[in-house]
Amino acid sequence: MAYAMATPKEHIEEIRRKMFFIGSEVINPLTKMVHRAVELLSAELYTKDVHFLMELIQNAEDNEYLEGVDPSLEFVITSRDITGTGAPATLLIFNNEKGFSAKNIESICDVGNSTKKGNRKSGYIGEKGIGFKSVFLISAQPCIFSNGYQIKFTEEPCPHCNLGYIVPDWVNEKPSLSDIQKLCGSGSKDLPTTTFVLPLKPDKIKRLSVREDNKDPLRNTVSAIAINSETNFVTRKNIDAESYTLHLAVNGDRNNKECNYYMWRQRFPVKQENKVERRMDVEEWVIILAFPNGERLRRGATSPGIYAFLPTEMVTNFPFIIQADFLLASSRENIVLDNKWNQGILSCVSSAFVNALISLVKMTEGAPVSSLPPMFRFDSSSYSQLNKDVREPIRAKLIEEDIVPSESCM
């Protein structure tokens, strides 16, 4: 859907007129049904209110950035009512991406019409065209400022078309760009290209620690896991793989906690029998296995075992993390285990594991397997499909390669 327009504001007016019949005598009989459907989608798709943060991070990772720009994403929460909605607090998200295009704006005014589809050869992070709607879990009137657009959406049905959530309205007064600028911590006179302004519902987000500005650093309470360094890079062209050691540390932690991960990244060609419509243009699977060396830096009650660029809710009980371009359930909390695309990825994990193990043994002083016991502490996964697709093939390959004796293998 392409509209001829001269300005962002005229584009929004055109969308309101042509997509939602605002200003027309025509009444769409499906508007109430569509409103209920989007309402259910926004409220029930995610089991956790904080999932909207994952969506915004995914969007930022998928965005395009100008050459030479270091991608950044900043969250700021304020008690100021800059939107004039009476909200007890407002969350602002700043992103220095290229900004919204006309097609992006049209996509966000739709459901399931993502502009991300078909734009990558080696995988996707966000794709469903419904992710932004998750912000309605915590905000009744989200606003977007990007590339000259300044629009808001409301969960209440628009009085002109009886439809909420996806009908854009121009922001004329509040929040103002000057109010937003005062809260931006980038240090630049110009705002980052894209800003989300979310006036929070009264019962949402009691505390969000994102940024501190104390003259005395000892008073800082915010800590974050950061990459200290990456070392021991080795490329193995014969199997299209590479390995390195990732050093993580907790910034702001006085005990200087650190954890090292042995990282293994290997590419596998996508098999024809595992191709699916949503990944027809993807030619290779990139599988990353992360083996913790020492105590993990835990951020929560459990340690996720499977990542699809960001953590899922799946805890595998395996002694390593699996990262790949998995297809997720609509909630994005779990991968779809009976999907043939995901099954193809999982079928490659055992090969990646054995290759990683052989490589690690060779580069470890005093090698043999006795020096690497944590890698063999496999507990049975609560997901029977993962035991079948990952644990059992790994065991078989270890025996086949005569790496460990069968009686002591897992």
Side-chain angles (χ1 to χ4, degrees):
M1 186 182 302
Y3 300 125
M5 65 284 185
T7 67
K9 188 172 183 179
E10 291 173 351
H11 183 206
I12 296 303
E13 292 172 352
E14 192 79 356
I15 290 175
R16 287 168 62 85
R17 184 168 58 253
K18 292 191 174 181
M19 284 183 65
F20 304 107
F21 302 100
I22 294 175
S24 169
E25 295 182 359
V26 176
I27 298 176
N28 188 341
L30 299 178
T31 53
K32 288 186 177 181
M33 181 182 70
V34 173
H35 177 83
R36 288 195 300 269
V38 180
E39 182 179 31
L40 287 171
L41 180 69
S42 301
E44 298 185 4
L45 186 60
Y46 304 102
T47 60
K48 297 183 178 179
D49 292 345
V50 295
H51 211 105
F52 80 95
L53 287 171
M54 303 284 283
E55 293 292 344
L56 293 171
I57 294 171
Q58 286 180 326
N59 284 335
E61 184 67 24
D62 278 330
N63 288 338
E64 295 182 358
Y65 296 83
L66 294 174
E67 186 176 352
V69 170
D70 291 329
S72 68
L73 184 66
E74 181 182 14
F75 293 82
V76 176
I77 194 166
T78 178
S79 59
R80 303 176 191 175
D81 181 19
I82 63 172
T83 60
T85 59
T90 302
L91 178 64
L92 297 93
I93 301 98
F94 300 102
N95 186 206
N96 62 346
E97 55 137 348
K98 282 186 176 181
F100 276 66
S101 66
K103 287 186 177 180
N104 295 147
I105 292 293
E106 292 163 17
S107 173
I108 212 166
C109 299
D110 203 342
V111 180
N113 184 26
S114 174
T115 54
K116 299 176 186 175
K117 295 176 180 176
N119 68 343
R120 291 195 175 186
K121 291 293 182 183
S122 59
Y124 301 71
I125 296 184
E127 63 182 310
K128 299 182 183 302
I130 56 179
F132 177 76
K133 279 71 176 178
S134 66
V135 301
F136 284 104
L137 289 169
I138 53 97
S139 179
Q141 184 180 292
C143 306
I144 300 172
F145 291 76
S146 183
N147 277 348
Y149 289 96
Q150 45 188 73
I151 59 176
K152 62 183 177 182
F153 299 87
T154 61
E155 61 182 6
E156 291 297 321
C158 170
H160 304 293
C161 66
N162 294 318
L163 185 60
Y165 297 98
I166 58 176
V167 181
D169 196 7
W170 195 258
V171 175
N172 290 309
E173 296 182 2
K174 290 190 174 183
S176 67
L177 290 174
S178 60
D179 286 338
I180 296 172
Q181 178 69 61
K182 293 174 184 177
L183 295 165
C184 179
S186 65
S188 171
K189 292 183 179 179
D190 299 321
L191 281 171
T193 318
T194 297
T195 301
F196 294 93
V197 181
L198 308 179
L200 300 178
K201 295 178 179 179
D203 58 339
K204 302 298 179 184
I205 305 188
K206 298 298 186 292
R207 179 185 178 191
L208 177 63
S209 297
V210 179
R211 188 183 69 196
E212 286 189 340
D213 182 20
N214 288 320
K215 292 182 180 179
D216 180 4
L218 295 178
R219 295 180 60 191
N220 287 343
T221 59
V222 173
S223 65
I225 292 178
I227 298 174
N228 261 9
S229 61
E230 297 175 349
T231 60
N232 302 325
F233 277 94
V234 179
T235 300
R236 292 161 177 79
K237 295 182 179 179
N238 61 321
I239 54 175
D240 202 1
E242 58 190 24
S243 64
Y244 56 97
T245 303
L246 187 69
H247 302 270
L248 300 181
V250 178
N251 289 346
D253 184 85
R254 299 178 185 179
N255 297 321
N256 297 318
K257 291 182 181 178
E258 183 172 301
C259 175
N260 300 330
Y261 281 78
Y262 175 74
M263 308 294 293
W264 180 264
R265 180 200 303 265
Q266 187 168 357
R267 293 170 175 80
F268 297 86
V270 174
K271 302 171 186 175
Q272 188 61 38
E273 61 267 26
N274 294 111
K275 281 187 173 291
V276 294
E277 182 179 355
R278 287 151 61 186
R279 293 292 189 274
M280 289 305 294
D281 59 337
V282 179
E283 300 168 354
E284 62 181 17
W285 291 310
V286 180
I287 296 176
I288 299 175
L289 304 183
F291 301 89
N293 181 15
E295 188 66 22
R296 295 188 187 189
L297 298 179
R298 298 184 182 274
R299 309 290 283 183
T302 59
S303 296
I306 292 183
Y307 282 62
F309 301 97
L310 288 170
T312 68
E313 294 292 312
M314 299 184 73
V315 179
T316 62
N317 293 326
F318 296 159
F320 56 88
I321 294 169
I322 305 171
Q323 149 62 35
D325 178 28
F326 291 106
L327 289 177
L328 302 177
S330 294
S331 67
R332 295 190 180 177
E333 295 175 356
N334 296 284
I335 70 171
V336 184
L337 287 171
D338 60 356
N339 179 277
K340 63 180 182 179
W341 174 267
N342 291 340
Q343 289 174 347
I345 294 175
L346 291 173
S347 70
C348 297
V349 170
S350 59
S351 295
F353 176 89
V354 172
N355 289 332
L357 176 60
I358 293 174
S359 171
L360 183 57
V361 168
K362 287 183 177 179
M363 66 179 286
T364 303
E365 293 184 6
V369 179
S370 59
S371 65
L372 305 168
M375 298 179 70
F376 294 92
R377 291 176 186 161
F378 276 76
D379 293 325
S380 181
S381 173
S382 58
Y383 299 93
S384 59
Q385 192 69 37
L386 287 179
N387 288 323
K388 176 183 176 183
D389 293 342
V390 177
R391 188 175 186 272
E392 292 176 11
I394 286 178
R395 181 179 185 277
K397 284 184 179 293
L398 290 175
I399 295 173
E400 179 183 346
E401 296 289 337
D402 198 26
I403 296 176
V404 294
S406 58
E407 63 271 12
S408 63
C409 185
M410 297 158 34

